[in-house]
Amino acid sequence: MAMQFKKPKRNLRVRDSDGFPDNENEEKMDVDTVLKLPKPQKEKTTKKVNTLSFGDELNECDDGEEFKVKKSSYSKKIKKQMNREKLGRDKVENGKKSKTIADTVKPINDEKQTNFNTEPVEKEIMLTGRAAEMAGYVSSDEEPDSYSSSHRFSNPDQVKILLKKGQIPDAALIHAARKRRQQARDLGEDFIPISSQSHSESKVDNEQTTSRRLTREEDELEDSDDDGIIVMSGIVSQAEDRKKSLHSTMTDHTNNTEFEDPDELDEDNEWETQQIRKAVTGSQLAAAQQESAGMAALYNNMVIQEQAMMPILMNQKPRFSDSYAPQGLMSTMSPDDIINKTKEILNELKENRNPDQKYFEDMINEIPEIKNKVELLKINVPELDDCFQFYQDLRGYVTDLVECLDEKIPLLVGLEQRISKLYEKRRLDLIARRRQDVRDQAEESSTNKLGTSTTHTRSEEQQRRAAEREGRRIRRMRMREIKAISKHADGMSSDEEVPETDASAFRNQLELIKSDSNMLLDDVLEEFASVDLVLKHMLEWKNKYLESYIEAYVNVCLPKLVGPFVRIEMLTWNPLEDDLKFEDMFWYKSMQKYTMKGNNNIDQLTKDVDLELIPKIIEKVVLIKIDQMVTSQWDPLSSKQTKHICNLVKYILDVYPTIDPDSKLLMMLLNNLVDRIRDAVDYDVFIPISSRQVMNTGRMNVFFQRQFNMAVKLFGNILSWHRIIEDVVIIDLAINQILNRYLLTSVRTLQPLEAILKITMIARMLPNSWLSYGNTTPKELTPFLNQSKLVSMEIDKSHPQAKLALDKLNEVLKL
């Protein structure tokens, strides 16, 4: 049956500050105080509140009693230490008084103990001081006089006996012990012995109850002076305290039940189990068991490891060997051995001291040098100040320059795209017109089987194109007459003439782009608007602080820094139409001055870090500009454009050897050149092949001669890239796809005299190295050489013109 205890009203007494009363009066006052109980009328007015932790409602058989537990504010170890010290003082000084009080209270306590044993007690929960005070309080349903006649001064050992058995002492018993201690304080004594047992018995009792929670007495803790030393070995959390208390209580309960009656043991166990289920959850109990098992396993592992490490530690040599102690027993060493050993130790110490002494001497020797450096640095302070100021100014200038170029480069790229689109549009228009003219002429020159012409079927658009085509041919013929060019084959000239309206529009757009490029840097300060001024700052840096100039890799960054200025000046540069060289431009002359400045001889020039500055600018700027012209403007059928761009590339490769095949920009340019040539071979070469009767007619013959000469012109333009583009690519494009496929096929349809003239024209286009009849002659030329020999044998050598033509062929081919 669960019990409900309520805390009685405490009667506080004020200690007399004038002195201490007599012992007899004090004993009488204490007896009256102990026998005085709270009035039952006041207890009936108290309100019953369910304060159990598991929150279950009280059963009817519980008589409305309520169980309260209050935890101590001190840890278990501190409380144990305090109680041990107080028990010791009580035993020494007030042994006699404790015996008298114990004899008086013993019969009453025995009677009360018998009454308590008849009721089941919750043995698992350990009570603190205030909870123990509330444990024996009488509820409102019980007689208040039942305790007043059974207790006077109870023996405190009875409290221990009850706690060992797991029973709860009543409030009167605890209150009597407290009043007895209060009496001792009022009398001026330090303590009253709690028990009359001997010191050895008290020590055994203390050892047996170390695992239990000691009762807390708040009044004693508040009034007494803690003179003892409290040793705190650690801080235990509340959860661990609850687990240890629960485990200790269950262990004590198991030990106590061995001496109890079996019937009572069954009832106690059943009641105990029910209370534990209410107060302790399954997860808490499992956690406590698991923790105890884990601690036991950890302890066993530590013991096993310690046992395993003992032989190793015993056999292990000491960490610091006693090198100065003589080996063996001291009694076996002679004085000479001791002297020798001492000398060895002294020599060893001297050797160990030598490095330190040497280091000390080196530091002493370095002091004058360091002082000299300090003085020198003090002298160089103005120079360093000027250097710092120069670097700060230069840093600000370069930062501003980079920001300026970052804003202008997008505008520059836009201008470059505009001019590229302008030239590309003109090139595409000329190519489309030329291919359309070829189709129109092929249709006009075609005849039916009877030989009647089909020109009457031309549309007005075809007639207009034919009239414009004839007009351009007449104007080119007049220009050749003015220039006194007598030898000309029809089809060799490039039809690049455009109408005046288109030419005027092209020039206007080109002038607009030029004006925009001139205004690109108008809103920029003068020191940021010219490549000459930019190089001036860099040259000042190079002359003053060459070492830092080299460490900053200015020679690597400078091409990118001056590149935008070079691109602006070369924006309208067109080497395909004019003969202006980039060496004549302003940026090139500025770079020459920058590179040659301060270099008086060849040796200084070769050691200059900026020796490759101009080749790098040509590679990173000029080659990109040429590549843009190839993709947007160059026509492989134009002999003039091909000659200019071919000479320019050859000049760059010859004069600037640092631009080699390893250059990615150069390889990109050559790949674009090959792509443009391949496109012209696929779409612009057309030679009509028919019977000799048809080929001899006037219109077809003129068209055949013009197309054959156009193919020979393209053949020569491709061979002009010899020694620039790989021979494998040149042989494939020129010999395989033009000579062997188109030209030789046409030559086989001609008369021997005319065939010799055509072969001579083709042979003049071939490189001299291919006609040396050695290992350098490509095997792809074999059909051409065989056809030349065949024609030379078929020709009538008696005819003067045939003989002259054969002599020219022999001169070229060296047959």
Side-chain angles (χ1 to χ4, degrees), residues 681 714-715 718-719 727-744 762 766-767 770-771 776-784:
V681 171
L714 179 60
F715 177 75
I718 295 173
L719 291 177
D727 288 347
V728 177
V729 179
I730 297 297
I731 291 172
D732 178 65
L733 294 173
I735 298 177
N736 292 337
Q737 298 190 28
I738 296 180
L739 178 60
N740 295 336
R741 180 182 297 180
Y742 295 103
L743 298 180
L744 284 182
I762 295 171
L766 294 173
W770 289 5
L771 299 176
T776 58
T777 303
K779 61 181 180 179
E780 289 79 5
L781 283 177
T782 303
F784 173 73

Side-chain angles (χ1 to χ4, degrees), residues 102-114:
D103 294 337
T104 305
V105 182
K106 186 175 182 180
I108 302 173
N109 190 51
D110 292 338
E111 181 182 356
K112 188 63 181 179
Q113 181 180 354
T114 305

Side-chain angles (χ1 to χ4, degrees), residues 433-435 437-438 441 469 473 476 489-495 635-639 680 683-687 702-718 738 742-743 758 761 765:
R433 188 184 68 182
R434 182 176 63 240
R435 292 175 182 175
D437 290 340
V438 171
Q441 292 178 69
R469 181 170 60 249
R473 289 173 182 171
R476 288 197 301 272
D490 192 11
M492 285 291 184
S493 61
S494 299
D495 189 7
D635 184 6
L637 285 173
S638 176
S639 299
Y683 297 101
D684 290 328
V685 177
F686 174 73
I687 301 177
V702 172
F703 179 65
F704 170 79
Q705 296 295 335
R706 183 177 291 112
Q707 292 301 117
F708 186 89
N709 293 337
M710 184 181 294
V712 172
K713 181 178 66 173
L714 179 60
F715 177 75
N717 291 342
I718 295 173
I738 296 180
Y742 295 103
L743 298 180
K758 299 297 183 184
M761 183 186 300
M765 300 292 183

Side-chain angles (χ1 to χ4, degrees), residues 14-65:
V14 181
R15 179 180 297 181
D16 189 4
S17 61
D18 298 335
F20 300 98
D22 297 335
N23 294 334
E24 297 179 359
N25 297 333
E26 188 66 20
E27 288 182 4
K28 184 176 180 180
M29 181 179 64
D30 287 341
V31 170
D32 296 339
T33 305
V34 170
L35 296 177
K36 189 176 181 179
L37 296 174
K39 294 181 181 180
Q41 289 79 4
K42 294 182 180 180
E43 292 296 320
K44 290 182 180 180
T45 59
T46 59
K47 188 176 181 180
K48 299 179 181 180
V49 182
N50 183 13
T51 59
L52 296 178
S53 61
F54 39 82
D56 294 337
E57 295 294 336
L58 299 175
N59 298 328
E60 295 179 357
C61 59
D62 291 339
D63 296 333
E65 294 178 351

Side-chain angles (χ1 to χ4, degrees), residues 156-271:
D157 293 340
Q158 300 301 325
V159 178
K160 286 187 176 182
I161 294 171
L162 291 177
L163 293 175
K164 288 179 180 179
K165 292 183 178 181
Q167 298 178 0
I168 302 173
D170 59 312
L173 184 63
I174 298 172
H175 191 66
R178 289 173 53 224
K179 288 300 179 181
R180 180 168 46 80
R181 294 186 183 183
Q182 184 65 33
Q183 177 186 359
R185 295 191 195 97
D186 296 338
L187 292 176
E189 298 176 357
D190 292 340
F191 63 91
I192 298 174
I194 296 177
S195 175
S196 61
Q197 297 176 355
S198 63
H199 180 69
S200 61
E201 295 176 353
S202 176
K203 183 176 181 181
V204 172
D205 293 339
N206 290 334
E207 291 178 355
Q208 292 177 353
T209 58
T210 53
S211 62
R212 303 188 177 212
R213 187 186 301 274
L214 299 178
T215 58
R216 176 186 176 190
E217 298 180 1
E218 294 180 356
D219 297 341
E220 179 182 349
L221 294 175
E222 292 173 0
D223 299 335
S224 63
D225 297 328
D226 296 335
D227 297 330
I229 299 175
I230 299 174
V231 180
M232 299 182 66
S233 59
I235 299 175
V236 182
S237 63
Q238 296 181 0
E240 293 178 353
D241 194 5
R242 288 197 298 270
K243 292 177 183 177
K244 291 180 180 179
S245 301
L246 179 61
H247 182 69
S248 177
T249 305
M250 293 177 67
T251 304
D252 293 340
H253 172 68
T254 304
N255 296 332
N256 293 333
T257 53
E258 295 178 357
F259 306 98
E260 293 179 359
D261 185 64
D263 296 334
E264 295 181 358
L265 184 61
D266 295 339
E267 293 178 359
D268 292 344
N269 289 339
E270 182 180 357
W271 182 84

Side-chain angles (χ1 to χ4, degrees), residues 769-790:
S769 59
W770 289 5
L771 299 176
S772 60
Y773 297 96
N775 296 329
T776 58
T777 303
K779 61 181 180 179
E780 289 79 5
L781 283 177
T782 303
F784 173 73
L785 297 176
N786 294 334
Q787 183 67 26
S788 300
K789 293 178 181 180
L790 180 62

